[in-house]
Amino acid sequence: MSDPGVDTPAPSGGGQLPRRKGFGAETVFRTGTLAAGTLVLVIIVAITAFLINEAVPALRADTANFITETEWFPNQTPPVFGIAAIAWGTLVTSVIALVVAVPIALGIALYLSHYAHRRVATTFGFLIDLLAAVPSVVFGLWGFTVFIRPVRTFSIWLNDYFSWLPFFGGDGPFGRSFLLGGLVLAIMVLPIITSLSREVFLQTPVPDQEAALSLGATRWEMIRTSVLPYGRAGVIASIMLGLGRALGETIALALTLGFINEITFNIIENGGNSIAANIANGFGEAGEIGRGALIASGLVLFAITLVVNMAARVIIYRRREFTESAA
Amino acid sequence: MAKRVEATGVTAYYGSFKAIDDINLNVEPKSVTALIGPSGCGKSTFLRTINRMHEVLPGARVEGRLTVDDEDIYAKDVDVTAVRRMIGMVFQRPNPFPTMSIFDNVVAGLRLNGVRRKSVLQEAAEKALVSANLWDEVKDRLGKPGAGLSGGQQQRLCIARTIAVEPQVVLMDEPCSALDPISTLAIEDLMFKLKDSYTIIIVTHNMQQAARVSDRTAFFTIDRTGDPGRLVEYDTTQKMFSSPSEKKTEDYITGRFG
């Protein structure tokens, strides 16, 4: 018997079931999403090709070793420039940012997920997320007009008592330093690490937490035996994402670093430069070689961030496998 | 190693919702007591008041008096972690710590108590696993993850973890509801063995299970949805299943509950 609502063309199967539609919303949707996905790939490839194309002539003209040279004078003749000092600055400021931000962020995240009253946690969590929405130029301006004062005082104090450590030596002036840049970055990555870690901690299965509590664990012991092991991979991934942000930050560092290209462990003396800040400050007055040189440095930064992001993905992916097998 | 549990006028709330009202119940040491009743009747809530796990939920609180060998466990200056060490709990779904090995799971409670000596931990782990009828199955793979065991083995691992700290009372919240019949039988056998040393209180939906394993049975019910759960009848299991005094109990046990 045939369904009155469906056209039944010449039966190819048993002829009883409705035929598949040739063209419809499904096809449109599939094509649309495929196009969107492909577009992203095309854009990435196009950008990369353009950047490499711009960078290669500048790298050819470079009379120094691009990897090991610390100076950055691409506009003089002959051009002398290298990535070493600015890449160093990028790494140092990011490391300072993470060393400061990670313990604070994890403390806040645990407080919000396991200690604070629900209403407090919601309000506080909202404020943290708001911090992530502050434009980086605001952080930069605040850093070099306001925050620099306490940091300078602190730097002088560190220099007075700990100048025997390589990080805190030198004769000044202090202030526009790796320390200032790193601390501003720390404030900027804090909300990322906090809110992602909080999410992970909140997802800890209740039975896991009750297992610990029913054995007579205190709140902290419960966190140690069930929440932290469960959240470890997620926390690492959130740190990686924070690191990605710190590595790529431009304007805040352009405003807070002292612009001296050198590879130094001293983090309190005026000085320091980073890849992104160097691009922001140098692009306007750059000649043709200068532009290519900056683009080359941007490619290096791109590679560093790519590696960090890929590492984060790998960790997140491993975590997913782990939680699936445990369920 | 087994103590008497006495509940006097125990009333528990979730926020403003009264979940159980005025429960009076004495549990004898070295016996198995089953709590039965329809879903939502408050038997699990009552169970969780006995080791003060009820108050873990935000807004949850308990009124009335609960004593373990005449010691008021809700007294103001009592350390709640000490109460939970004395009164162990096995949950509905097996919940071994997923990141820990079998060995680390069993000794987790001891480690929380500050035991560090490897020899002490090994001895205690073997003893607990033997008591939980799991030793022969896992003795060659103590370093493997606890989450890799079968459901029934995981539940016995959780029982081993609970008894490794040598509690006075063991609470079990529907410990077999996620298990197949063979694993259920293994756990029931285990309960017979454990009642020589422990006071056991078990919540179950399975009437045959209550009849098989328990010495005494308490029947809880609610009159209407939204009403607090209350204790209808509490007697020896034999009496409860052959000639209960209350009509409601008889209806429930014979399946005419409605």
Side-chain angles (χ1 to χ4, degrees):
Chain A
M1 73 178 157
S2 70
D3 189 332
V6 178
D7 281 357
T8 40
S12 59
Q16 301 291 320
L17 293 168
R19 301 294 100 194
R20 199 168 67 175
K21 276 184 193 157
F23 185 84
E26 175 64 24
T27 319
V28 174
F29 186 69
R30 186 173 343 116
T31 319
T33 48
L34 183 69
T38 318
L39 190 64
V40 172
L41 281 179
V42 170
I43 290 174
I44 288 182
V45 171
I47 290 178
T48 314
F50 168 78
L51 291 179
I52 292 175
N53 191 40
E54 291 281 300
V56 167
L59 290 177
R60 286 242 174 80
D62 192 2
T63 52
N65 184 327
F66 181 68
I67 303 296
T68 56
E69 175 59 45
T70 58
E71 294 299 343
W72 191 269
F73 298 120
N75 296 313
Q76 70 181 21
T77 31
V80 174
F81 58 92
I83 194 83
I86 54 178
W88 173 253
T90 294
L91 292 178
V92 170
T93 46
S94 299
V95 166
I96 294 174
L98 288 190
V99 165
V100 174
V102 167
I104 300 175
L106 294 187
I108 300 175
L110 278 176
Y111 172 72
L112 293 180
S113 66
H114 283 88
Y115 285 91
H117 192 275
R118 206 180 299 167
R119 205 172 316 138
V120 178
T122 317
T123 320
F124 208 82
F126 177 72
L127 286 176
I128 294 283
D129 290 342
L130 210 62
L131 196 60
V134 175
S136 52
V137 65
V138 174
F139 278 113
L141 288 172
W142 172 77
F144 106 110
T145 55
V146 181
F147 194 46
I148 189 168
R149 281 178 241 145
V151 170
R152 185 179 285 137
T153 315
F154 182 54
S155 298
I156 292 168
W157 181 82
L158 283 172
N159 187 251
D160 283 350
Y161 292 94
F162 298 101
S163 57
W164 44 274
L165 282 170
F167 314 112
F168 308 130
D171 317 308
F174 304 110
R176 291 197 68 174
S177 57
F178 280 145
L179 184 65
L180 179 63
L183 288 177
V184 170
L185 278 187
I187 299 171
M188 295 173 67
V189 301
L190 190 74
I192 299 175
I193 302 177
T194 304
S195 42
L196 287 176
S197 306
R198 183 191 55 171
E199 288 306 312
V200 176
F201 293 150
L202 281 174
Q203 279 170 19
T204 315
V206 173
D208 284 16
Q209 301 183 43
E210 291 196 331
L213 287 176
S214 74
L215 287 171
T218 61
R219 190 85 63 102
W220 164 237
E221 287 166 338
M222 180 271 280
I223 287 170
R224 238 178 34 204
T225 42
S226 58
V227 178
L228 291 182
Y230 177 85
R232 206 182 70 178
V235 167
I236 293 174
S238 79
I239 294 173
M240 293 292 204
L241 290 177
L243 179 60
R245 164 112 208 233
L247 290 171
E249 180 46 42
T250 306
I251 197 70
L253 285 182
L255 289 166
T256 51
L257 290 181
F259 284 98
I260 300 168
N261 282 16
E262 53 178 346
I263 295 181
T264 170
F265 282 102
N266 189 313
I267 61 168
I268 58 171
E269 269 195 310
N270 275 9
N273 202 350
S274 82
I275 298 179
N278 188 53
I279 294 174
N281 279 306
F283 209 84
E285 61 218 34
E288 200 171 324
I289 302 279
R291 275 232 314 267
L294 291 172
I295 285 171
S297 76
L299 274 171
V300 173
L301 182 59
F302 181 51
I304 296 176
T305 353
L306 203 68
V307 168
V308 168
N309 269 310
M310 264 157 46
R313 302 263 160 217
V314 167
I315 290 167
I316 293 171
Y317 182 71
R318 283 228 309 265
R319 177 184 121 79
R320 190 192 307 146
E321 276 185 328
F322 166 75
T323 41
E324 270 169 11
S325 72
Chain B
M1 281 229 303
K3 289 191 173 177
R4 175 193 310 275
V5 178
E6 286 180 59
T8 317
V10 171
T11 303
Y13 298 85
Y14 294 99
S16 59
F17 173 68
K18 193 192 261 187
I20 51 173
D21 187 24
D22 192 26
I23 307 294
N24 297 287
L25 192 78
N26 290 350
V27 176
E28 296 297 319
K30 297 195 181 185
S31 70
V32 177
T33 300
L35 312 181
I36 60 168
S39 295
C41 70
K43 52 198 188 308
S44 288
T45 304
F46 176 65
L47 192 77
R48 289 169 64 95
T49 62
I50 301 174
N51 66 341
R52 297 189 62 173
M53 282 296 284
H54 174 69
E55 68 203 46
V56 168
L57 299 163
R61 66 200 163 84
V62 178
E63 287 166 5
R65 191 178 151 82
L66 249 164
T67 60
V68 174
D69 268 12
D70 297 325
E71 181 98 4
D72 182 358
I73 61 164
Y74 278 94
K76 277 226 157 51
D77 52 350
V78 163
D79 179 1
V80 60
T81 63
V83 171
R84 294 188 191 136
R85 256 170 244 163
M86 180 170 73
I87 307 172
M89 187 163 206
V90 177
F91 296 85
Q92 191 169 350
R93 290 188 66 99
N95 57 352
F97 296 117
T99 52
M100 287 189 197
S101 69
I102 293 172
F103 178 80
D104 289 338
N105 259 291
V106 178
V107 300
L110 292 165
R111 288 216 171 107
L112 285 174
N113 290 354
V115 181
R116 288 281 174 275
R117 287 263 302 275
K118 189 90 184 162
S119 58
V120 179
L121 292 177
Q122 267 162 349
E123 205 172 300
E126 176 168 352
K127 193 175 158 207
L129 285 168
V130 168
S131 304
N133 294 339
L134 190 61
W135 175 251
D136 289 332
E137 292 158 62
V138 300
K139 64 182 175 200
D140 300 323
R141 45 170 172 160
L142 291 174
K144 294 272 162 56
L149 297 171
S150 76
Q153 289 173 326
Q154 285 188 24
Q155 193 62 302
R156 276 178 284 152
L157 176 61
C158 292
I159 293 175
R161 179 177 68 189
T162 304
I163 60 183
V165 291
E166 307 199 326
Q168 313 287 340
V169 180
V170 177
L171 310 176
M172 297 186 175
D173 190 357
E174 298 183 46
C176 303
S177 65
L179 306 183
D180 66 83
I182 293 172
S183 305
T184 301
L185 205 64
I187 305 266
E188 287 181 10
D189 284 346
L190 178 55
M191 277 188 252
F192 272 114
K193 190 167 125 191
L194 291 178
K195 80 170 177 181
D196 291 341
S197 328
Y198 303 96
T199 306
I200 298 177
I201 306 175
I202 171 178
V203 165
T204 178
H205 270 294
N206 182 331
M207 227 83 71
Q208 287 79 28
Q209 182 171 63
R212 280 195 299 265
V213 300
S214 69
D215 302 297
R216 294 169 80 82
T217 299
F219 172 59
F220 287 67
T221 195
I222 40 171
D223 297 326
R224 274 169 305 150
T225 314
D227 281 359
R230 59 186 181 84
L231 177 62
V232 176
E233 189 173 356
Y234 175 48
D235 214 321
T236 62
T237 300
Q238 211 204 334
K239 173 119 191 322
M240 290 285 279
F241 280 87
S242 54
S243 53
S245 332
E246 296 281 334
K247 177 85 168 58
K248 274 187 189 288
T249 314
E250 193 181 345
D251 286 351
Y252 184 74
I253 283 167
T254 55
R256 261 178 292 147
F257 184 86

